Amino acid sequence: MRTLGPGSVSSFLKIALEVVHVALWVALGLLLLGAMLVLVFQPFVGSIFVLNLRDLGQSHLARVTVPPAMVALGMLGLAIYAAILVVVFNRLRRIFETLIAGDPFRPQNVARLQMIGVALIGLQLWSYVLSVLAHWTFPSMHASKGVAINPTAWFSILVVFVLAEVFREGARLRQDAELTI
Amino acid sequence: MAIRLHLDRMLHQRRMSLTELSDRMGISVADLTLLKTGQARAIRFTTLDGLCRELDCQPGELMAFDADEAEV
């Protein structure tokens, strides 16, 4: 399979990146809009948010009424999660554009990869916050008592920072090649 | 960089312009300017070969090592 051009791996990745990027912006917009609407129409939507959750201590489903404010907070929490993903995919798209242009080893891509690494750290930490909040809100419904460390995610973050250093060296070699007459 | 290319001096001695040398060698004026101003980081043997051929000189006549610059 070709590396660049129509029918190549890069063309599929480009389409995937664009689709995910648009989907994230739509999700972010919907979450923010939803949170705003729930807060504005709070007096009218009090009994709408009823969840059927499986109580871990019992065998049957339990009906739990979720206050609109909590729903709005939950949506805002997810919106922050989506916003961080937007940052990650925006930087990834910029890196991909340099690849399509045939010149990926630019100094700017080092900063972009580092930003992706920092954003992924933020995502992990924020997911821990959301997990703890969910446990506080539904203590008997939420299996995880607190923070569940995902080693795969943290290893992936390490990989991203290592790749940033690889790109730094690549940018240096590129500059050397440019200034080799 | 302690290595200096005396491209200006050789061009003057051979009564040749940078543009003419560029046309003869097939290397852009911009790249030759990088060589002339000492901004280039490396030179290919093929480029050195072309310079020596067109300027009718030896590599040693084209370049010199500045020991004072190297110490800095």
Side-chain angles (χ1 to χ4, degrees), chain A residues 131-151:
Chain A
S131 180
V132 167
L133 286 175
H135 173 65
W136 282 349
T137 309
F138 307 109
S140 62
M141 311 299 175
H142 199 254
S144 174
K145 294 294 179 213
V147 168
I149 306 279
N150 184 350

Side-chain angles (χ1 to χ4, degrees), chain B:
Chain B
M1 178 85 64
I3 297 288
R4 294 268 177 266
L5 265 181
H6 303 305
L7 198 52
D8 268 346
R9 187 199 304 168
M10 293 309 301
L11 283 170
H12 179 71
Q13 285 179 4
R14 302 292 182 261
R15 303 286 191 268
M16 196 186 295
S17 68
L18 200 65
T19 309
E20 191 181 341
L21 181 64
S22 162
D23 289 338
R24 285 190 183 191
M25 287 186 64
I27 293 178
S28 68
V29 172
D31 283 347
L32 287 177
T33 305
L34 284 173
L35 277 176
K36 195 178 78 164
T37 56
Q39 290 178 302
R41 289 208 185 164
I43 186 169
R44 297 187 181 90
F45 277 122
T46 49
T47 304
L48 187 58
D49 177 85
L51 284 171
C52 292
R53 185 182 316 110
E54 300 303 332
L55 295 172
D56 190 26
C57 64
Q58 294 295 315
E61 295 176 87
L62 257 180
M63 54 185 78
F65 175 73
D66 187 346
D68 293 335
E69 179 74 23
E71 283 171 13
V72 171

Side-chain angles (χ1 to χ4, degrees), chain A residues 39-57:
Chain A
L39 282 174
V40 167
F41 295 106
Q42 207 176 145
F44 309 104
V45 299
S47 61
I48 289 182
F49 297 104
V50 178
L51 301 176
N52 289 319
L53 299 176
R54 184 168 297 283
D55 190 321
L56 293 176

